[in-house]
């Protein structure tokens, strides 16, 4: 693998959704110099609420890299309050989506930057630098692109309805992407991929967080063309998601809710797979299913901030020193 | 004076700006049945901040009538917090105007209602009823109309710049109204005036709060046409404003900063003037200057909520029973 010869750090592009992706991005950010990490973030969950543009995954990645994420939930801002939400309730207009008072500042600024004609990329840059983040966080696209969930019980739902209002309990019969075919990956994202030494697909939901990135015009081609290792970290541990509906969704869509299913899902996109020690016994099957796939087994669960750096460090060493199974 | 024959309450229309106007409106609301009081509120101070439409005087009147106004300042919401503002500061975008977390809910809703194509009147109705307010609060206009302050030191300033950023310290050389000639009083306001038994000009700043109401298309004519008593409560007590720049402005614009100056300012518009006992010795001069003006001398300073009802009650009795000086 090609390395930056001066300081021996690879230039990494990480693809991330929300909490799990943010943790790996944070681990990488603890190790890599600012100009060696670009996090490309899903915007398929973005929505407008009370007239404000909300980008849940961008916020989670920003708050995590900025060191202000709520450690209990993984999303939102630590110590945030709900004075505004309670007042909205008093006005009788508060719905199922709660925004913290501090969190609201992010949405106010983003909405205003977009209203002034600037891009989501520019808004994200402004917000990131406001939080003192030195690594690069990019929305996957500046174009309208929305994940739509088709459910058995409620028909078609906007992502946040499915995820927050119905707490991902409805049975999913299909997923589609409004804007597919028109929305393109940003030039910044494509440029970062072309310049990367290593691509990392974070342990985010493959269907809800990573797929909406891959479906953007130019994205999959850029990844396949860049001729450097692309590795994924399995979001499933012993068939279960650490958080969220990944396993449930895989089952509902007749996919194999296991690390083998993950390997199959990313198929020709990835060269390496990071899997949990709990899935050690799947190695033999993986060798069969994907003989060319390089495997790395470790503890992938990140409970502490140190866990994030430890996992990121292992992945970088594995890729830099070629130590594999 | 014509009265509602059934319950002996007059139908009152009050013209109000911010804190002083809100206090009188609250006094009237403590006495009059809901359908007997309409408060027509200045919107010349309205502005857009962080993409949100803010109507300071409407908010002050709503919060006061809704019983949630901050008793220390007279504006803003009691017990409000500044989490959002502090986060904006962290992002480096917080300016001189502070919005409380609860207060922000009002602006979010108003902005969204306006963005949906509804009027400021409709937004105000929604917000008022959310706060449980039964009396009618109306913006003076639904059209764009902005008070512009021309200052010696800083040239032309938006109202909030003059008032909040520069704390009304610059010397005012002129006041103009953007939208004058185009902006019209709302039909609701004109209808309320036509149906009123008594018009009350609250002790708000004549130049900054009342004049921007009077300048609206149709407003002055409606007041002059409706043929019921119109009385003003002097905002100046012994030549001083209770709050804000009324006296300073009068002096800067070569007007007489006294109760006599107030009587001259409202001139042919008013039939009666409520003045403070501190100005008792101006009665003789007023008799000279405005012989037709009926005068009522009382304590106009409202320090408590009871003071508001007491003053409103005195004014109503004065007008209903014809007891005058």
């Amino acid at each position: 693998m090609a390395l930056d010869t001066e300081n021996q750090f690879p230039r990494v592009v990480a693809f991330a959704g929300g909490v799990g992706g943010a943790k790996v991005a944070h681990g990488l950010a603890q190790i890599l110099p600012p100009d060696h990490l670009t996090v490309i973030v899903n915007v398929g969950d973005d929505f407008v609420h009370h007239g404000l543009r909300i980008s849940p995954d961008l916020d989670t990645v920003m708050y995590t890299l900025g060191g202000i994420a709520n450690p209990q939930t993984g999303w939102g801002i630590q110590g945030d309050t709900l004075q505004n939400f309670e007042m909205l309730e008093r006005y009788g207009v508060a719905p199922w989506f709660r925004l913290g008072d501090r969190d609201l500042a992010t949405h106010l600024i983003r909405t205003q930057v977009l209203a002034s004609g600037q891009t989501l990329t520019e808004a994200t840059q402004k917000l990131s630098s406001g939080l003192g983040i030195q690594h690069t966080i990019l929305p996957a696209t500046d174009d309208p692109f929305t994940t739509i969930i088709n459910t058995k019980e409620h028909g078609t739902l906007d992502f946040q309805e499915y995820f927050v209002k119905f707490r991902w309990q409805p049975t999913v019969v299909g997923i589609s992407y409004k804007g597919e075919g028109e929305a393109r990956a940003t030039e910044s994202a494509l440029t970062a991929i072309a310049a990367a030494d290593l691509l990392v697909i974070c342990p985010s939901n493959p269907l809800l967080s990573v797929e909406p990135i891959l479906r953007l015009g130019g994205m999959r081609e850029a990844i396949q063309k860049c001729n450097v290792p692309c590795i994924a970290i399995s979001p499933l541990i012993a068939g279960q998601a650490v958080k969220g509906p990944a396993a449930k969704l895989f089952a509902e869509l007749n996919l194999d809710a296991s690390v083998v299913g993950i390997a199959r899902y990313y198929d020709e996109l990835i060269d390496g797979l990071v899997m949990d020690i709990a899935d050690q016994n799947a190695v033999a099957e993986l060798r069969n299913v994907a003989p060319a796939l390089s495997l790395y087994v470790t503890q992938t669960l990140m409970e502490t901030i140190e866990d994030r750096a430890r996992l990121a460090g292992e992945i970088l060493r594995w890729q830099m020193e070629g130590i594999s199974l």
Side-chain angles (χ1 to χ4, degrees), chain A:
Chain A
M1 149 182 210
L3 287 183
D4 180 307
T5 49
E6 219 166 81
N7 55 20
Q8 296 295 307
F9 286 111
R11 284 157 300 187
V12 176
V13 167
F15 301 90
V19 179
K23 285 182 177 178
V24 167
H26 190 211
L28 291 165
Q30 289 177 62
I31 298 170
L32 297 168
D35 59 349
H36 279 58
L37 175 64
T38 299
V39 190
I40 295 176
V41 182
N42 170 43
V43 298
D45 310 356
D46 286 22
F47 65 117
V48 173
H49 180 67
H50 284 304
L52 302 177
R53 168 68 176 269
I54 301 179
S55 301
D57 286 352
L58 279 170
D59 291 344
T60 297
V61 172
M62 285 195 311
Y63 295 161
T64 302
L65 263 62
I68 59 168
N70 181 335
Q72 269 75 51
T73 56
W75 48 264
I77 297 176
Q78 181 161 31
D80 210 349
T81 51
L82 286 171
Q83 294 292 311
N84 183 267
F85 179 78
E86 283 164 19
M87 191 68 197
L88 288 172
E89 266 187 330
R90 175 151 183 177
Y91 278 123
V93 301
W96 38 269
F97 201 90
R98 289 168 181 241
L99 295 179
D101 299 317
R102 293 185 164 262
D103 190 32
L104 206 47
T106 305
H107 315 313
L108 281 169
I109 294 171
R110 176 184 294 120
T111 303
Q112 216 185 0
V113 171
L114 293 174
S116 78
Q118 294 184 76
T119 62
L120 185 57
T121 298
E122 289 167 304
T124 305
Q125 167 56 30
K126 182 183 174 76
L127 291 164
S128 292
S129 72
L131 294 177
I133 298 168
Q134 294 189 292
H135 299 84
T136 302
I137 301 174
L138 296 176
T141 183
D142 285 331
D143 300 329
F145 187 83
T146 311
T147 303
I148 305 289
I149 313 291
N150 196 0
T151 68
K152 195 172 146 188
E153 296 84 352
H154 307 280
T156 290
L157 296 178
D158 283 344
F159 182 83
Q160 296 300 333
E161 279 187 295
Y162 163 73
F163 200 79
V164 180
K165 184 174 179 183
F166 291 111
R167 297 162 183 272
W168 47 272
Q169 293 313 302
T171 309
V172 175
V173 296
I175 301 172
S176 61
Y177 306 92
K178 208 164 97 187
E180 193 178 356
E182 283 137 50
R184 278 191 60 78
T186 65
E187 282 312 307
S188 308
L190 297 177
T191 303
I193 293 168
D197 301 310
L198 174 64
L199 307 179
V200 177
I201 298 176
C202 291
S204 298
N205 191 312
L207 294 157
L208 298 181
S209 299
V210 180
E211 192 66 34
I213 299 176
L214 299 174
R215 293 282 176 118
L216 294 165
M219 187 62 87
R220 195 175 267 273
E221 299 80 344
I223 295 172
Q224 283 165 338
K225 207 177 74 181
C226 79
N227 212 22
V228 298
C230 177
I231 64 134
I233 302 157
S234 173
L236 297 181
I237 301 178
Q240 296 297 317
V242 176
K243 191 171 160 48
K248 179 172 175 287
L249 264 178
F250 262 57
E252 287 166 353
L253 296 173
N254 295 316
L255 297 165
D256 176 9
S258 74
V259 67
V260 178
I262 297 295
R264 280 208 181 92
Y265 189 87
Y266 287 130
D267 194 20
E268 297 185 353
L269 207 62
I270 57 171
D271 310 294
L273 181 67
V274 179
M275 51 191 284
D276 198 82
I277 37 174
D279 290 314
Q280 184 86 47
N281 56 7
V283 167
E285 191 185 350
L286 279 165
R287 290 256 176 271
N288 240 341
V289 167
L293 194 65
S294 133
L295 302 175
Y296 186 85
V297 183
T298 185
Q299 188 198 313
T300 60
L301 194 67
M302 292 164 285
E303 292 183 296
T304 65
I305 287 178
E306 292 71 30
D307 282 345
R308 301 172 189 173
R310 193 255 317 140
L311 179 61
E314 284 188 45
I315 291 170
L316 292 177
R317 262 192 306 278
W318 168 44
Q319 287 298 311
M320 289 166 76
E321 298 165 12
I323 306 160
S324 183
L325 276 181

